[in-house]
C-alpha cells in the first residue's frame, strides 16, 4: 500500500484564480479522472467558461489541481471539476481549492453550494452534508446518458 505523500517533502503549491490560458493544462489534469469515470468529460471551451469562477493549484509551474464553482442563482451554486494530481493528493490542496470556491460563492452572495461527487468523506470533511438544514434532498431526473467520452 502506498503511503500518503509527506507534505513537508512537497514543493509548495500556489492557489490562484484560473485563467483561460490554463485550459489545456486543466484538461490534461482532468483526463485520467474522466477515463476512470470520476469526472464528467469537458471540452476545452467548457473548461474556459469554468475558469471564470475556478482556481488552480500550481506547483513548480505545473497545474496539479483545479476546481470551479458554477453559479446558478443567488440561491445555488455547484462545486465542479475538483481534480488533484496524485502527487499533490493528501497535502491539503483539494481542501484549499474547495475553500476558494466556497469563498467565491460567498462573496457573490450565494446561499448554498452543492457538490455531486464520489468523494463523500472528503466533502463532508469540508463541511458539506447530505441534506440542507430543513432536510430537503436533491433528486435528479436523467434525460440523457452522462458523457464519459474524451472531448
Amino acid at each position: 500500500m502506498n503511503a500518503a505523500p509527506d507534505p513537508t517533502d512537497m514543493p509548495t503549491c500556489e492557489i490562484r484564480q484560473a485563467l483561460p490560458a490554463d485550459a489545456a493544462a486543466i484538461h490534461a489534469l482532468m483526463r485520467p479522472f474522466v477515463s476512470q469515470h470520476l469526472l464528467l468529460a469537458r471540452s476545452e471551451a467548457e473548461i474556459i467558461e469554468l475558469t471564470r469562477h475556478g482556481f488552480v493549484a500550481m506547483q513548480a509551474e505545473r497545474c496539479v489541481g483545479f476546481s470551479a464553482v458554477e453559479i446558478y442563482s443567488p440561491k445555488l451554486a455547484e462545486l465542479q471539476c475538483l481534480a488533484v494530481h496524485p502527487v499533490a493528493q493528501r497535502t491539503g490542496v483539494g481542501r484549499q481549492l474547495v475553500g476558494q470556491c466556497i469563498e467565491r460563492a460567498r462573496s457573490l452572495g450565494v446561499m448554498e453550494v452543492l457538490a455531486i461527487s464520489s468523494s463523500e468523506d472528503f466533502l463532508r470533511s469540508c463541511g458539506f452534508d447530505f441534506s440542507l438544514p430543513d432536510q430537503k434532498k436533491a433528486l435528479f431526473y436523467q434525460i440523457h446518458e452522462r458523457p464519459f467520452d474524451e472531448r
Side-chain angles (χ1 to χ4, degrees):
M1 182 174 185
N2 292 339
D6 181 352
T8 60
D9 292 341
M10 302 288 297
T12 57
C13 279
E14 172 198 3
I15 308 294
R16 66 164 171 77
Q17 172 71 49
L19 303 170
D22 297 321
I26 293 166
H27 201 251
L29 170 71
M30 290 176 54
R31 193 169 293 119
F33 297 98
V34 170
S35 68
Q36 296 171 48
H37 296 221
L38 297 172
L39 288 177
L40 293 177
R42 305 285 181 149
S43 68
E44 282 199 37
E46 289 171 310
I47 291 170
I48 289 169
E49 180 63 30
L50 286 171
T51 62
R52 179 175 182 208
H53 298 298
F55 300 89
V56 290
M58 302 299 291
Q59 188 177 74
E61 298 184 34
R62 177 181 175 202
C63 179
V64 295
F66 175 72
S67 189
V69 62
E70 187 168 355
I71 310 300
Y72 297 134
S73 73
K75 293 181 182 179
L76 185 64
E78 181 181 356
L79 183 69
Q80 301 236 341
C81 300
L82 176 60
V84 177
H85 191 282
V87 301
Q89 290 179 2
R90 301 193 183 282
T91 64
V93 169
R95 188 173 307 285
Q96 290 176 319
L97 289 166
V98 169
Q100 288 291 325
C101 289
I102 290 170
E103 284 308 310
R104 174 62 56 89
R106 180 179 282 124
S107 74
L108 295 171
V110 174
M111 190 182 312
E112 295 162 339
V113 177
L114 73 89
I116 301 169
S117 173
S118 59
S119 302
E120 172 186 321
D121 293 338
F122 171 74
L123 288 171
R124 288 182 69 119
S125 77
C126 292
F128 286 82
D129 208 342
F130 286 110
S131 60
L132 302 176
D134 55 357
Q135 300 304 307
K136 293 180 182 173
K137 292 182 172 53
L139 303 172
F140 296 87
Y141 186 97
Q142 187 172 342
I143 296 173
H144 298 285
E145 291 290 321
R146 292 175 178 255
F148 288 113
D149 61 320
E150 295 273 340
R151 291 188 186 184

